[in-house]
Amino acid sequence: MFDRVLLRFGEYMVKGKNRGRFESQMLRHVQSALQSFERLTVTRTYGRIYVALNGESYDAVADRLKDLFGIASFSPVKRVETELDAIREGTIEVMGLFPDAERTFKVSVRRVWKGFPHDSQEMNHLVGSHVLRATPKLKVDVRRPDVELRVEIHPKDTYIYSEVVPGGGGFPYGTNGKAVLLLSGGIDSPVAGWSAMRKGLELEAIHFYSYPFTSEQAKDKVVELAKRLSRFAGRPLKLHLVHFTDIQTSFAQAKQDRLIITLMRRAMLRIAERIALREGALAIVTGDSLGQVASQTLSSMNVIGRTVDLPLLRPLVMMDKQEIIGLAERIGTYETSILPYEDCCTLFVPQSPTTNPNLRVAETVESHIPGLEEMIEKAVSGMETLKLTPDDTGAGLTGAGKNEWF
Ligand code: ATP
Ligand code: MG
């Protein structure tokens, strides 16, 4: 029944100066997200994008558009000849989506082509009365209708639509610069990554593992999460795997149990910052949420965050766990995140980690760990990088030699 899809841009369109750039970038994103549909044509007119379906399935296209960042909402559109009877019939078909519901509606006709014999007001009545006769359960409410039936009259074609489906929101992927994401196997960090991507940040993920203390499944889980995130990117996502065992072991040997998580987080950030600078990224994104665990008290965040100069972005910092879980379910990472495989940090979690670490003490302990700087350098130079797409098998490994872990 639908002939095309109307796409509305997101919040970034208020940015006057950058508007043109965002619009063309968005057009490219839509084209690449929908490239597997061969018959589609995508066009841009001032402030909007139209996708002509040319026989492709609307549902399949809609499924893809729901995840696409930079699209505020979209509507499936029916095209009819610009002729009164055809328009009236078309509106019945579109309203037929709500046959039995007791709903309120309103008609909004826009006469883009002023040559059409009836003006917008007349058309609102002509269409509205016709719809009411055909669907008696509907009622008119011009102030707060459940359904707004829109009709746009052009010289040859008229477009009719009523449904408004939320798109991915935010900015087109990559239009706000690049960051690295600290991706653990937990619930939070994939959600943090998704939030950052939604704000237009291009991401590269970094995961720290502690083979042989952590297992093959723990890695598979993170690869799976990164693959899931790559779906939102619409292009391959890099996952850097950093071998963390030596550093962790040296911290364990320092006999500062209560401080060990603080030390590990600081080392992770140091490594992440080096990778970021190497990859041209300007921020580090984490899944921290205030007060969630000992390492996420304000005091811990302060001592941990001081390790690096790059901005630390914590999209979930003020969110409740339940809200985060809700998002994880929505973006399809939750089921993977709750698989039981151990993370490198949980293995070393002491009985009572400090919630109030002291910066000077942390720095002093670090300065007494032999070869810490070398180990950090080695971790960076020895990391391995996967380039992942949603349906990848995890192949395409690059980097300084495959280790036995794979
Ligand atoms: P999640 O693991 O889902 O983020 P969490 O509550 O388990 O949630 P922590 O383990 O305290 O969080 O970690 C805080 C943040 O540090 C994570 O959100 C993530 O950004 C980063 N992080 C922790 N462990 C790792 C790891 N092994 N690799 C990469 N980043 C990590
Ligand atoms: Mg975790």
Side-chain angles (χ1 to χ4, degrees), residues 24 51 60-61 99 138 140 145 157 187 238 242 257 265 293 328 337 369 379-380 390 403:
S24 11
V51 176
V61 170
L138 287 172
V140 176
D157 300 323
I187 296 169
K238 279 192 198 172
V242 180
D257 272 11
R265 291 271 183 270
V293 287
S337 289
I369 291 176
V380 175
N403 73 14

Side-chain angles (χ1 to χ4, degrees), residues 164-181:
V164 179
V165 184
F171 288 69
Y173 182 69
T175 52
N176 269 334
K178 188 179 187 179
V180 294
L181 165 71

Side-chain angles (χ1 to χ4, degrees), residues 98-104 137-139 146:
F98 318 97
D100 301 317
E102 287 191 27
R103 287 180 184 237
T104 57
K137 279 197 172 168
L138 287 172
K139 290 196 176 61
D146 297 328

Side-chain angles (χ1 to χ4, degrees), residues 207 209 214-224 239 241 341 386 394 405-406:
H207 177 68
Y209 68 93
T214 53
S215 65
E216 179 88 16
Q217 287 102 318
K219 177 215 85 172
D220 290 346
K221 181 174 161 180
V222 173
V223 169
E224 202 47 49
L239 169 63
L241 295 159
Y341 311 112
L386 302 173
W405 196 40
F406 294 92

Side-chain angles (χ1 to χ4, degrees), residues 330-381:
R330 200 177 115 201
I331 65 171
T333 53
Y334 184 70
E335 292 302 321
T336 309
S337 289
I338 57 171
L339 293 172
Y341 311 112
E342 68 295 335
D343 181 52
C344 67
C345 299
T346 36
L347 290 174
F348 289 82
V349 174
Q351 287 291 326
S352 59
T354 177
T355 53
N356 186 20
N358 179 295
L359 181 62
R360 299 284 161 257
V361 176
E363 286 173 344
T364 309
V365 174
E366 282 166 356
S367 71
H368 286 95
I369 291 176
L372 182 59
E373 167 57 29
E374 289 73 23
M375 285 190 280
I376 285 177
E377 238 346 279
K378 192 169 155 227
V380 175
S381 60

Side-chain angles (χ1 to χ4, degrees), residues 182-193:
L182 297 195
L183 183 64
S184 71
I187 296 169
D188 304 323
S189 45
V191 176

Side-chain angles (χ1 to χ4, degrees), residues 76-355:
V77 176
K78 179 162 183 63
R79 188 204 67 84
V80 295
E81 293 286 304
T82 294
E83 192 271 312
L84 183 59
D85 284 341
I87 294 174
R88 287 172 124 188
E89 283 322 299
T91 56
I92 301 288
E93 247 189 86
V94 170
M95 289 307 284
L97 291 173
F98 318 97
D100 301 317
E102 287 191 27
R103 287 180 184 237
T104 57
F105 84 111
K106 141 184 187 182
V107 183
S108 304
V109 175
R110 200 157 72 94
R111 199 173 51 147
V112 179
W113 175 52
K114 302 289 180 216
F116 190 70
H118 307 282
D119 71 17
S120 308
Q121 276 309 321
E122 270 170 60
M123 278 305 281
N124 284 342
H125 288 294
L126 287 169
V127 170
S129 57
H130 191 69
V131 170
L132 277 175
R133 272 196 299 277
T135 326
K137 279 197 172 168
L138 287 172
K139 290 196 176 61
V140 176
D141 180 349
V142 289
R143 282 174 208 279
R144 299 191 57 191
D146 297 328
V147 181
E148 186 166 358
L149 176 65
R150 292 173 195 261
V151 178
E152 253 182 52
I153 302 175
H154 295 255
K156 191 169 160 300
D157 300 323
T158 290
Y159 300 111
I160 306 168
Y161 57 93
S162 64
E163 205 183 339
V164 179
V165 184
F171 288 69
Y173 182 69
T175 52
N176 269 334
K178 188 179 187 179
V180 294
L181 165 71
L182 297 195
L183 183 64
S184 71
I187 296 169
D188 304 323
S189 45
V191 176
W194 173 84
S195 313
M197 292 167 107
R198 199 167 98 111
K199 266 296 181 195
L201 283 177
E202 179 188 348
L203 286 189
E204 293 189 14
I206 303 175
H207 177 68
F208 297 90
Y209 68 93
S210 293
Y211 181 84
F213 301 116
T214 53
S215 65
E216 179 88 16
Q217 287 102 318
K219 177 215 85 172
D220 290 346
K221 181 174 161 180
V222 173
V223 169
E224 202 47 49
L225 291 170
K227 281 190 335 196
R228 182 65 206 158
L229 287 180
S230 77
R231 186 181 152 91
F232 299 104
R235 57 175 118 140
L237 181 92
K238 279 192 198 172
L239 169 63
H240 304 290
L241 295 159
V242 180
H243 195 245
F244 204 53
T245 318
D246 293 347
I247 294 172
Q248 263 186 321
T249 315
S250 72
F251 289 151
Q253 283 160 358
K255 298 276 174 260
Q256 289 284 339
D257 272 11
R258 299 195 65 208
L259 210 56
I260 191 164
I261 300 285
T262 310
L263 298 172
M264 285 190 320
R265 291 271 183 270
R266 284 170 59 90
M268 282 183 183
L269 285 184
R270 281 207 181 99
I271 292 169
E273 185 171 57
R274 288 182 202 192
I275 298 172
L277 295 175
R278 199 164 111 173
E279 301 290 319
L282 285 181
I284 302 171
V285 179
T286 77
D288 293 326
S289 183
L290 186 61
Q292 200 183 78
V293 287
S295 60
Q296 292 169 34
T297 60
L298 201 52
S299 172
S300 286
M301 284 196 203
N302 175 36
V303 172
I304 293 167
R306 275 169 194 257
T307 325
V308 287
D309 291 327
L310 282 183
L312 271 172
L313 305 181
R314 301 169 165 119
L316 315 183
V317 74
M318 301 302 179
M319 285 175 74
D320 281 353
K321 192 75 187 185
Q322 274 312 319
E323 294 173 287
I324 300 171
I325 289 176
L327 277 173
E329 284 171 339
R330 200 177 115 201
I331 65 171
T333 53
Y334 184 70
E335 292 302 321
T336 309
S337 289
I338 57 171
L339 293 172
Y341 311 112
E342 68 295 335
D343 181 52
C344 67
C345 299
T346 36
L347 290 174
F348 289 82
V349 174
Q351 287 291 326
S352 59
T354 177
T355 53

